[in-house]
Amino acid sequence: MDNRPIGFFDSGLGGLTCISPLMKALPKERIIYFGDTARTPYGSKAPSTIRMFSAQIADFLVQSNVKMIVIACNTVSATCLNELRVRFPGLPIIGIIQPAAQAVAESCGKGNRIGIIGTKVTIKSRAYENLIHELNPELSIHAISCPTFVPLIEEGIIENEIMDLSIQYYLDHFIKYHKIDTLILGCTHYPLIRDNIEKLYPQLRIINPSKEIVKSIRKELESRDLLAEEPDCENTFYASDLSENFVNMINRIFEISEFRVAFKNFDLDTYK
Ligand code: DGL
C-alpha cells in the first residue's frame, strides 16, 4: 500500500485525457499532473530538447515525492522513456506507447489495416510500428503525422470547421489510400478530437492509448504493492504557463466536482 500520488506529465493538456479513465478505474489514487504549457508543442522539436525538458519535469515530480511516473505523452515516450528509467532506477516509469501497441497486437489480425496518427517526432521514431511488429509481425501498419492538431487543441479550437478541415487535410487521402480500418490516436491530445474523427470516418475502429495505459498502471501498482488505500492529498495540476486555456480545458475535460483539485503555476526555470 502506498498513498503517495502518481506523477503524470505531458507537453500540455493532452495528458489530461489519461486522468478520467484512471480516476474511474482507481478512484483512490491521487495525481500530480504537469503540463508544460509554456513550451508546448514538443512534437516538432529536436529529440535533445525533448530529453532536456522531460528530465526537468521528471526531476520535479520526483522531488514532489510521487510513487510512479506516467509519461502521458507519446512524443516523450518515443524519445526518452529508457533514459528516464535509467535516471531514476527503482521508480516505476510507464510510457504510453507499449500498452497501446499491445492492445493493437492482441486485438488485430492479418486482415486489418492499421493507421497511426501522431506528432512528427512520434511518427519519425517508428516506435509504434516497432513495438507492434515485435508482438505481431503480420500486421499491416501505416503512419502519418498531423502537426496542426496539437496547436489547435491547445487553443481550444475543437468543435469547429477549422479542426474538421485540418483532420480531412491529413486523413482523407491517408485513410482511403491505405484502406485503414483501425486508427491509433498516437498523441494524448487526440482523444479530444475523437468525436470529430468519428463523425468524419464512422467506419473506423479507434484505439485510444489514454485508456489502454490505465491497465498498465493498475498492473504495475498491484505487482509492486503500491495501490493507495487512504489518499491524504488532493489532485494537483501544475502548468509551466497557467493560462486561462489550461484551466478551461481542465474544467471541460473533467466534471470538476468528481474530485478535489488544485491549480498551480510552476516556473521550471526556477528549478535548476
Ligand atoms: N500530447 C503529446 C503526445 O502525446 C505531445 C503533443 C505535442 O506537444 O506536440 O505526443
Side-chain angles (χ1 to χ4, degrees):
M1 192 260 287
D2 191 330
N3 290 325
R4 289 177 300 158
I6 303 173
F8 279 74
F9 77 96
D10 179 47
S11 63
L13 48 83
L16 296 171
T17 58
C18 303
I19 306 299
S20 277
L22 178 96
M23 291 299 172
K24 279 201 184 99
L26 298 169
K28 289 184 180 165
E29 298 301 330
R30 291 293 174 264
I31 59 135
I32 293 183
Y33 182 91
F34 192 97
D36 198 1
T37 45
R39 305 188 291 199
T40 195
Y42 282 11
S44 307
K45 290 190 167 59
S48 55
T49 306
I50 297 167
R51 281 191 198 102
M52 182 178 75
F53 291 172
S54 303
Q56 284 178 332
I57 298 169
D59 284 352
F60 167 69
L61 291 173
V62 169
Q63 295 275 327
S64 307
N65 198 26
V66 296
K67 61 183 170 186
M68 166 190 272
I69 289 182
V70 177
I71 305 177
C73 176
N74 292 261
T75 307
V76 173
S77 302
T79 307
C80 54
L81 168 63
N82 288 337
E83 281 166 50
L84 291 175
R85 284 182 171 155
V86 170
R87 192 176 179 96
F88 303 107
L91 181 73
I93 301 187
I94 298 195
I96 195 159
I97 295 181
Q98 169 75 37
Q102 197 163 337
V104 171
E106 284 168 4
S107 66
C108 292
K110 218 174 169 179
N112 289 113
R113 303 196 51 94
I114 297 149
I116 304 162
I117 54 174
T119 65
K120 281 187 191 165
V121 169
T122 300
I123 298 305
K124 194 166 172 221
S125 74
R126 298 184 61 82
Y128 270 103
E129 287 98 316
N130 293 341
L131 279 171
I132 295 170
H133 276 150
E134 256 174 44
L135 298 164
N136 190 341
E138 290 191 325
L139 294 179
S140 155
I141 309 173
H142 301 276
I144 186 169
S145 61
C146 308
T148 60
F149 291 1
V150 169
L152 288 175
I153 293 167
E154 287 282 333
E155 274 306 316
I157 300 174
I158 293 177
E159 289 127 1
N160 188 296
E161 206 180 321
I162 299 173
M163 179 52 90
D164 286 348
L165 283 172
S166 181
I167 293 171
Q168 285 171 292
Y169 172 75
Y170 293 110
L171 297 192
D172 267 3
H173 176 74
F174 175 73
I175 288 173
K176 207 167 159 193
Y177 185 76
H178 295 296
K179 302 188 176 63
I180 301 299
D181 59 33
T182 304
L183 188 71
I184 305 174
L185 305 180
C187 169
T188 49
H189 283 71
Y190 298 172
L192 296 168
I193 54 166
R194 180 182 178 141
D195 287 350
N196 308 53
I197 296 174
E198 282 180 331
K199 181 185 71 191
L200 291 165
Y201 313 104
Q203 76 282 12
L204 289 178
R205 173 182 171 225
I206 307 266
I207 305 283
N208 178 2
S210 301
K211 275 198 176 155
E212 300 303 331
I213 197 172
V214 173
K215 294 173 201 157
S216 299
I217 296 171
R218 179 199 285 275
K219 210 166 137 198
E220 191 74 24
L221 290 174
E222 276 171 358
S223 72
R224 296 187 184 231
D225 193 21
L226 291 176
L227 284 166
E229 270 169 25
E230 281 178 50
D232 47 12
C233 57
E234 54 183 23
N235 296 303
T236 308
F237 295 86
Y238 288 92
S240 45
D241 173 33
L242 190 51
S243 62
E244 218 178 82
N245 230 13
F246 185 74
V247 175
N248 286 345
M249 285 305 276
I250 289 186
N251 289 328
R252 175 185 171 146
I253 294 171
F254 307 121
E255 284 175 35
I256 222 66
S257 54
E258 273 174 50
F259 48 86
R260 290 188 303 151
V261 56
F263 299 109
K264 292 187 182 161
N265 199 36
F266 190 82
D267 180 2
L268 280 166
D269 283 341
T270 60
Y271 184 77
K272 290 241 165 89

